[in-house]
């Protein structure tokens, strides 16, 4: 028997953990974390441990599919599919103009920069700017707040330097969403051991909240009031870095005036927490020498994400928690060149109102991209500029977008819908073509994405100059015809006689990125490694060097001391931005929300054993997570006459979904915690025990939406809940 152990960068989610696959006689027999890996220290999760099994699941597409006139699907050769799609795109561009063709980049369009690089180059080649991504239905407030507040070029200190951490509606132990870095449970454990204080604001007692020194189990959607309360108390008690603010920030007086109404008592009443706890949390954070704040999807989706993210930055500024002159940035970049380590901000940058305009709801491009929540209406609204074709790259609009009912109408209205997906997803079941793609086991992979997201904020990216690149471990199943996404875009461009110029992701500097772009040879098809060289052109360590380290490596690169602010520098952070202060005034003026017809709130969450809409059917995952339950506080269940395991109707003003009720004492009373991206299409039969319910169906995309990113309410959705059939029985 031959035994082999092969390393792979996991890309089953964005975290890119270092895994090892054990082979016996060429067959994968086990997948586990690599204990010797210097960034992940052996971490793996059950989802990642499926990496060697996924290519062989019955649900994996081994051939691309084309919809037939009777609505059924038949296999089509990948090159024929590329040719047919290219011809259809050309016909649409000729008749309606390039704007009629849109691209949607979902989760797995980010996990693979080569796919994204080619998709973007193809869109540029046909002349369409209609590029949408999942970012605007995720945490668009992060970009918008950075624009309003201004970026701090030197970034924030690393996890092991913090004395305190505030997590606002994020649960990185499960989600890997930043805040703690990679192998988050271990990093939190180490940080707590050295005395770091943890404050968590979350309506659920999350995995992170269980380790918190103070957990404010607040009413969802009240985060801006809570954070304003922190700011007010810090200012009142002098817990702010006056010198840093005077030197580096404008807008202090405006902020002080806007947070004045948010007294501990007023905030406690709104958010339904104890005023003493709020004060204790604010002081615990305010007395920490160095600290960090990270917010997640919950507060980004519950109505005022921009303001929450703005406070994440402004509170950091008030405490002077940014990396300062002389601090060492230990990771000068390996595959991605970070922003310059200078203790300064260029000042605010435009956050919306530029680029392509949507024809609906007055939405424009924003710093987080074109508003995806406006895309369904863009498709459905007739007239000049209407979108007729949508290319979905590793995303699943039918299960992930808000307003599933409208999304369904939109997908059905398209002249051309193409999904690049290894599975016949809910969106794929409405598509004209599904391109069957290769999976991570069959692809070269690397940690560029994790490094790229290192600029998002506290606890993102690697604190050390670490990178990993691994070759494909296995060929696709025998007899299959699966492609890398870029190959199809290449084939389509060839067919249409277009040239592709692919940008480098290795830098954030737009000028340098343009210089590092590469014209692709349209006659001789490049290799997979060639493509990565293009996509990471100009990386601090050449890609070929990283490829020599399939087990991952900490490169010998000197840390960079943060340089002082250059003389004559005028840029300053802005902590009193007018639009944000106006939102604070509106909140202060409005009473806390009344219960109304829909007294409960569906709050978003992640499940440990499921990732968005992906691979729920994998047997090892299904055993652990057969469906997406409605997790409810047992007291709410008792009050509503609901028993564990009952199917319940969760009804919003938009629609009703069915879920299996599960008692969860960790969920705040009044909240129903349900994860997204389950369920099926509106015209399909749905069994709540296996398919689950789709929370997107509960939301409107055109009510209570953010005017800049378009994100509507996707958490804290007002609902009522009753046992399924209870209404019929009562009548
Ligand atoms: N109500 C509510 N709605 C939400 C959220 C929420 O919390 N609440 N969360 C939002 C967030 S944060 C996000 S990011 C979006 C997610 O939005 P999307 O990215 O659109 O949704 P996913 O479910 O991640 O879709 C991923 C698709 O990629 C396919 N896939 C899996 N592996 C691969 C691969 O290797 N290559 C390719 N090409 N495809 C692959 C899967 O089969 C699946 O169809 O949903 C959003 N929707
Ligand atoms: N295992 C797993 N990991 C994932 C994913 C997955 O599906 N499964 N999805 C990936 C994706 S696409 C993303 S974007 C990241 C997201 O990563 P996170 O943002 O960390 O996602 P969650 O774990 O859902 O944490 C959101 C928290 O917000 C809370 N919450 C809901 N509404 C509110 C509110 O109004 N205020 C406050 N304060 N809290 C609120 C919820 O109770 C929940 O605990 O995770 C990624 N990682
Ligand atoms: S956390 Fe994500 S990257 Fe890490 S093993 Fe799990 S699925 Fe893979
Ligand atoms: Mo996300």
């Amino acid at each position: 028997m031959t035994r082999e152990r092969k390393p792979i960068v996991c890309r089953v989610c964005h975290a890119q953990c270092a895994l090892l696959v054990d082979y016996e006689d060429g067959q994968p027999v086990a997948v586990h974390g690599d204990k010797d890996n210097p960034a992940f220290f052996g971490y793996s999760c059950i989802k990642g441990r499926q990496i060697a099994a996924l290519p062989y699941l019955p649900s994996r597409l081994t051939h691309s599919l084309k919809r037939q006139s009777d609505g059924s699907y038949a296999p089509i050769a990948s090159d024929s599919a590329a040719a047919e799609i290219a011809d259809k795109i050309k016909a649409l561009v000729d008749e309606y103009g390039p704007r009629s063709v849109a691209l949607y980049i979902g989760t797995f369009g980010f996990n693979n920069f080569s796919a994204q690089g080619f998709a973007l180059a193809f869109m540029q080649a046909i002349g369409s700017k209609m590029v949408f991504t999942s970012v605007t239905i995720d945490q668009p407030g992060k970009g918008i707040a950075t624009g309003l507040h201004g970026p701090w070029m030197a970034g924030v200190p690393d996890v092991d330097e913090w004395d305190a951490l505030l997590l606002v509606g994020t649960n990185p132990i499960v989600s890997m969403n930043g805040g703690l870095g990679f192998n988050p449970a271990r990093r939190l454990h180490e940080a707590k051991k050295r005395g770091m204080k943890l404050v968590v604001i979350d309506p659920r007692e999350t995995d992170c909240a269980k380790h918190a020194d103070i957990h404010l189990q607040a009413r969802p959607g009240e985060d801006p009031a809570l954070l304003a309360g922190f700011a007010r108390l810090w200012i009142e008690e002098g817990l702010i870095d006056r010198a840093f603010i005077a030197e580096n920030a404008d807008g202090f007086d405006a902020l002080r005036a806007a947070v004045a109404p948010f007294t501990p008592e007023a905030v406690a009443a709104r958010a339904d927490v104890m005023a003493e706890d709020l004060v204790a949390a604010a002081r615990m954070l305010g007395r920490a020498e160095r600290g960090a704040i990270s917010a997640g999807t919950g507060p980004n989706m519950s109505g005022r994400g921009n303001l929450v993210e703005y406070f994440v930055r402004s509170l950091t500024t008030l405490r002077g928690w940014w990396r300062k002159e002389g601090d060492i940035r230990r990771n000068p970049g390996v595959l991605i060149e970070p922003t310059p380590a200078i203790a300064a901000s260029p000042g605010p940058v435009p956050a919306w109102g530029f680029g392509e305009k949507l024809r609906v709801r007055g939405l424009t491009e924003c710093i987080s991209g074109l508003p995806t929540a406006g895309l369904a209406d863009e498709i459905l609204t007739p007239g000049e500029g209407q979108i007729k074709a949508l290319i979905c790259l590793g995303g699943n609009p039918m299960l992930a977008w808000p307003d599933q009912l409208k999304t369904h109408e939109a997908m059905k209205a398209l002249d051309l819908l193409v999904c690049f997906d290894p599975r016949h997803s809910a969106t794929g079941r409405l598509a004209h073509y599904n391109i069957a793609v290769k999976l991570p086991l069959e692809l070269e992979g690397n940690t560029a994405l994790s490094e790229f997201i290192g600029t998002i904020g506290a606890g993102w990216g690697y604190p050390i100059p670490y990178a990993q690149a691994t070759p494909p471990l296995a060929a696709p199943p025998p007899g299959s015809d699966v492609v890398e996404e870029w190959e199809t875009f290449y084939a389509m461009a060839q067919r249409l006689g277009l040239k592709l110029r692919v940008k480098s992701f290795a830098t954030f500097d737009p000028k340098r990125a343009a210089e590092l772009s590469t014209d692709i040879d349209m006659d001789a098809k490049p290799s997979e490694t060639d493509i990565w060289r293009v996509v990471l052109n100009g990386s601090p360590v050449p890609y070929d060097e990283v490829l020599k380290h399939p087990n991952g490596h900490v490169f010998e690169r000197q840390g960079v001391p943060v340089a002082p602010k250059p003389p004559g520098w005028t840029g300053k952070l802005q902590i009193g931005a007018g639009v944000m202060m106006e939102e604070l005034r509106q909140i202060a003026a409005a009473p806390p929300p009344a219960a109304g017809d829909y007294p409960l709130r569906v709050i978003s969450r992640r499940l440990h054993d499921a990732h968005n809409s992906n691979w729920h059917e994998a047997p090892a995952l299904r055993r652990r997570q057969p469906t997406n339950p409605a997790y409810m506080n047992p007291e709410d269940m008792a009050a509503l006459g609901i028993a564990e395991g009952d199917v319940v109707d969760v009804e919003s003003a938009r629609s009703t979904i069915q879920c299996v009720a599960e008692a969860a004492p960790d969920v705040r009373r009044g909240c129903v915690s349900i994860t997204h991206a389950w369920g099926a299409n509106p015209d399909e039969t749905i069994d709540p025990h296996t398919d689950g319910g789709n929370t997107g169906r509960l939301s409107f995309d055109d009510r209570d939406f953010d005017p800049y990113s378009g994100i509507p309410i996707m958490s804290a959705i007002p609902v009522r809940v009753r046992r399924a059939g209870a209404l019929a029985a009562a009548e």
Side-chain angles (χ1 to χ4, degrees):
M1 186 167 64
T2 58
R3 283 215 173 102
E4 267 184 299
R5 176 166 282 184
K6 297 183 186 174
I8 186 163
V9 176
C10 183
R11 280 146 292 150
V12 178
C13 88
H14 69 284
Q16 306 196 318
C17 301
L19 301 185
L20 296 170
V21 186
D22 291 343
Y23 285 87
E24 277 177 15
D25 294 333
Q27 291 302 310
V29 290
V31 181
H32 47 96
D34 178 357
K35 287 197 188 63
D36 298 325
N37 184 276
F40 292 93
F41 323 104
Y43 182 83
S44 72
C45 82
I46 177 85
K47 305 181 296 301
R49 292 195 295 272
Q50 305 312 304
I51 196 167
L54 298 179
Y56 312 103
L57 290 182
S59 58
R60 194 269 166 102
L61 292 178
T62 52
H63 292 83
S64 296
L65 297 176
K66 178 184 179 182
R67 191 160 82 204
Q68 310 297 301
S69 49
D70 65 356
S72 66
Y73 285 85
I76 176 171
S78 53
D79 49 359
S80 313
E84 289 185 17
I85 297 165
D87 292 348
K88 289 192 170 143
I89 288 175
K90 177 160 188 337
L92 288 170
V93 171
D94 287 348
E95 189 170 353
Y96 303 106
R99 197 188 193 276
S100 65
V101 180
L103 169 69
Y104 168 65
I105 303 173
T107 309
F108 288 88
F110 284 95
N111 240 344
N112 199 344
F113 283 150
S114 62
Q116 187 177 145
F118 272 71
L120 293 175
F122 181 80
M123 292 298 282
Q124 195 169 16
I126 63 169
S128 173
K129 294 187 176 139
M130 301 306 274
V131 176
F132 296 77
T133 75
S134 49
V135 176
T136 46
I137 50 164
D138 186 331
Q139 298 158 83
K142 285 186 157 53
I144 289 177
T146 300
L148 290 169
H149 172 271
W152 183 256
M153 285 189 291
V156 282
D158 296 319
V159 181
D160 53 1
E161 301 171 79
W162 306 336
D163 306 310
L165 170 64
L166 169 62
L167 296 176
V168 190
T170 180
N171 187 27
I173 290 182
V174 163
S175 69
M176 315 275 144
N177 186 53
L180 286 166
F182 297 107
N183 198 337
R186 174 176 162 138
R187 289 187 200 273
L188 179 58
H189 177 74
E190 285 169 354
K192 294 276 314 177
K193 219 164 73 185
R194 66 175 174 77
M196 188 193 79
K197 302 289 183 206
L198 176 65
V199 175
V200 173
I201 303 177
D202 201 301
R204 186 165 64 91
E205 193 193 4
T206 57
D207 309 68
C208 288
K210 286 189 173 50
H211 299 279
D213 294 278
I214 300 179
H215 173 206
L216 297 171
Q217 197 162 6
R219 201 179 260 150
E222 292 299 339
D223 307 276
L226 284 156
L227 300 176
F230 286 5
R232 184 186 176 283
L233 192 124
W234 286 1
I235 294 169
E236 187 179 76
E237 300 195 352
L239 300 171
I240 53 174
D241 186 338
R242 287 187 190 283
F244 180 84
I245 298 165
E247 173 71 24
N248 296 295
D250 285 331
F252 177 75
D253 292 338
L255 178 67
R256 184 173 50 190
V259 299
F262 294 90
T263 61
E265 295 68 32
V267 174
R270 281 197 83 97
D272 190 25
V273 294
M274 304 278 280
E276 311 76 286
D277 292 348
L278 175 83
V279 170
R283 287 190 182 138
M284 183 176 278
L285 295 165
R287 287 173 184 158
E289 188 61 28
R290 298 208 119 183
I293 311 175
S294 192
T297 43
N300 265 279
M301 294 178 177
S302 60
R304 294 203 186 262
N306 302 335
L307 187 52
V308 169
E309 292 288 353
Y310 190 69
F311 267 120
V312 168
R313 288 151 186 79
S314 309
L315 289 169
T316 304
T317 299
L318 283 179
R319 289 287 310 122
W321 276 344
W322 301 105
R323 248 195 218 118
K324 292 184 178 153
E325 179 186 339
D327 288 352
I328 303 294
R329 184 196 268 168
R330 283 171 291 172
N331 185 359
V334 180
L335 289 171
I336 310 289
E337 183 182 272
T339 51
I342 306 174
S345 169
V349 292
W352 62 80
F354 46 79
E356 195 66 28
K357 288 187 173 41
L358 295 197
R359 297 172 306 141
V360 300
R361 285 175 243 152
L363 294 166
T364 67
E365 190 173 338
C366 74
I367 201 165
S368 299
L370 279 170
T372 294
L375 188 42
D377 270 337
E378 272 289 328
I379 294 166
L380 290 167
T381 308
E384 177 94 27
Q386 184 177 12
I387 292 169
K388 302 279 184 180
L390 181 67
I391 303 171
C392 284
L393 190 67
N396 194 358
M398 279 312 304
L399 299 190
W401 287 5
D403 211 328
Q404 195 202 36
L405 299 177
K406 194 191 279 176
T407 303
H408 190 222
E409 293 311 311
M411 295 300 125
K412 286 190 300 181
L414 287 163
D415 288 7
L416 177 65
L417 174 60
V418 181
C419 289
F420 287 78
D421 206 297
R423 302 155 63 242
H424 202 195
S425 71
T427 309
R429 300 196 291 276
L430 299 167
H432 300 92
Y433 295 89
N434 287 265
I435 303 297
V437 297
K438 286 190 184 172
L439 285 170
L441 197 75
E442 303 151 350
L443 292 169
E444 192 166 310
N446 57 66
T447 49
L449 172 70
S450 320
E451 214 182 312
F452 188 83
I453 57 184
T455 53
I456 291 180
W460 290 87
Y462 303 113
I464 45 173
Y466 165 86
Q468 182 180 19
T470 51
L473 296 198
S480 63
D481 170 17
V482 290
V483 292
E484 285 186 61
E485 292 86 342
W486 69 265
E487 293 180 288
T488 300
F489 289 102
Y490 183 84
M492 293 199 297
Q494 264 185 332
R495 170 105 181 164
L496 300 180
L498 301 171
K499 289 193 168 17
L500 294 179
R501 187 169 174 83
V502 174
K503 72 164 191 166
S504 167
F505 289 80
T507 175
F508 296 102
D509 177 351
K511 223 175 107 207
R512 200 165 131 67
E515 284 162 16
L516 294 171
S517 303
T518 306
D519 288 318
I520 303 299
D521 186 337
M522 298 309 292
D523 300 317
K525 191 175 166 185
S527 73
E528 192 180 358
T529 306
D530 286 341
I531 297 303
W532 277 111
R533 289 182 185 126
V534 164
V535 169
L536 296 171
N537 189 22
S539 55
V541 175
Y543 181 63
D544 284 273
E545 189 55 35
V546 178
L547 258 185
K548 292 180 190 154
H549 300 278
N551 287 296
H553 185 66
V554 180
F555 289 82
E556 277 175 30
R557 306 211 68 222
Q558 276 291 311
V560 184
V562 174
K565 186 154 68 171
W569 187 275
T570 53
K572 277 193 169 192
L573 300 169
Q574 173 55 261
I575 55 176
V579 285
M580 296 288 96
M581 300 306 104
E582 177 52 30
E583 283 197 28
L584 277 173
R585 277 189 283 278
Q586 287 169 12
I587 295 170
D597 288 343
Y598 300 98
L600 303 176
R601 296 288 177 270
V602 163
I603 53 171
S604 63
R605 69 170 303 144
R606 263 75 196 149
L607 299 171
H608 183 269
D609 302 330
H611 182 259
N612 295 359
S613 70
N614 304 292
W615 305 112
H616 301 164
E617 69 280 10
L621 301 183
R622 188 164 279 293
R623 267 197 299 280
R624 290 216 204 181
Q625 194 66 59
T627 186
N628 69 333
Y631 294 98
M632 296 180 74
N633 187 288
E635 290 180 41
D636 281 340
M637 289 172 70
L640 294 164
I642 294 166
E644 175 92 7
D646 279 353
V647 173
V648 291
D649 286 333
V650 181
E651 181 190 353
S652 74
R654 177 69 171 118
S655 185
T656 303
I657 61 169
Q658 295 198 322
C659 290
V660 177
E662 195 167 315
D666 58 347
V667 175
R668 193 193 137 88
R669 279 207 73 177
C671 292
V672 189
S673 174
I674 314 178
T675 201
H676 63 295
W678 284 69
N681 291 336
D683 56 0
E684 295 173 327
T685 318
I686 302 176
D687 179 349
H689 296 95
T690 50
D691 303 310
N694 184 264
T695 54
R697 203 181 286 191
L698 297 173
S699 59
F700 292 92
D701 64 359
D702 55 3
R703 288 192 199 171
D704 296 326
F705 61 91
D706 179 72
Y708 315 124
S709 68
I711 192 172
I713 304 275
M714 292 161 68
S715 185
I717 307 170
V719 295
R720 57 182 167 229
V721 177
R722 60 169 85 87
R723 217 157 20 87
L727 194 62
E731 277 166 5

